[in-house]
Amino acid sequence: MEVDGDRVAAIGAGLLVLVAAGAQDGPGDPAQLAAKVARLRIFADAEGRMNRSLTDVGGEALVVSQFTLYADVRRGNRPGFTGAAPPEIGERLVDAFAAELRTLGVPVATGRFGAHMRVALTNDGPVTIWLDL
């Protein structure tokens, strides 16, 4: 991941986690979401079935704040973001999520909140999952 041409974060095998904090999210949500992400059985076992978690495989997480996941395009052509948490709350929740993943033993790299980030991804499989707790 790059910000202003500088490499600020990188991980090996694991997950790119795009995190959007919502206006209705509370202080308990980061821990609940982190537990789900760390234990979600989406990695292949010896038989090729999705049966292993991020912690099972020793994977890493690249946590990137992404408020635009809250884009509302139901009316007109310009997205609205009123469902997203205000920046000062969103940053606190995204940071708390990354910290909770670390307490679960997941190595975590993060982007810079509010920065224009260039994220490169090698997608090793067809799995993209929306988690909304």
Side-chain angles (χ1 to χ4, degrees), residues 10 21 30 32 38 50 60 68 79 92 97 104-105 108 113-114 117-118 125:
Q32 185 180 5
M50 290 195 315
E60 302 174 64
T68 59
R92 199 166 41 245
F97 169 76
L104 295 169
V108 176
F113 190 89
M117 294 174 273
R118 184 178 300 258

Side-chain angles (χ1 to χ4, degrees), residues 12-133:
L15 297 176
L16 169 59
V17 185
L18 302 175
V19 181
Q24 74 290 348
D25 292 344
D29 292 326
Q32 185 180 5
L33 184 61
K36 179 63 83 172
V37 168
R39 296 181 182 118
L40 197 62
R41 293 172 22 192
I42 56 174
F43 292 93
D45 63 15
E47 287 79 42
R49 294 181 13 214
M50 290 195 315
N51 203 26
R52 301 187 73 210
S53 70
L54 187 61
T55 54
D56 291 336
V57 301
E60 302 174 64
L62 178 57
V63 175
V64 178
S65 61
Q66 190 70 37
F67 81 94
T68 59
L69 290 170
Y70 271 98
D72 182 354
V73 294
R74 291 175 290 181
R75 294 181 5 189
N77 294 315
R78 183 175 174 195
F81 301 102
T82 57
E88 60 279 358
I89 294 170
E91 183 174 16
R92 199 166 41 245
L93 291 169
V94 171
D95 288 347
F97 169 76
E100 289 290 341
L101 274 179
R102 288 184 186 105
T103 66
L104 295 169
V106 176
V108 176
T110 62
R112 289 191 190 148
F113 190 89
H116 183 104
M117 294 174 273
R118 184 178 300 258
V119 180
L121 162 70
T122 300
N123 194 3
D124 185 17
V127 180
T128 302
I129 297 175
W130 174 280
L131 296 176
D132 187 9
L133 305 176

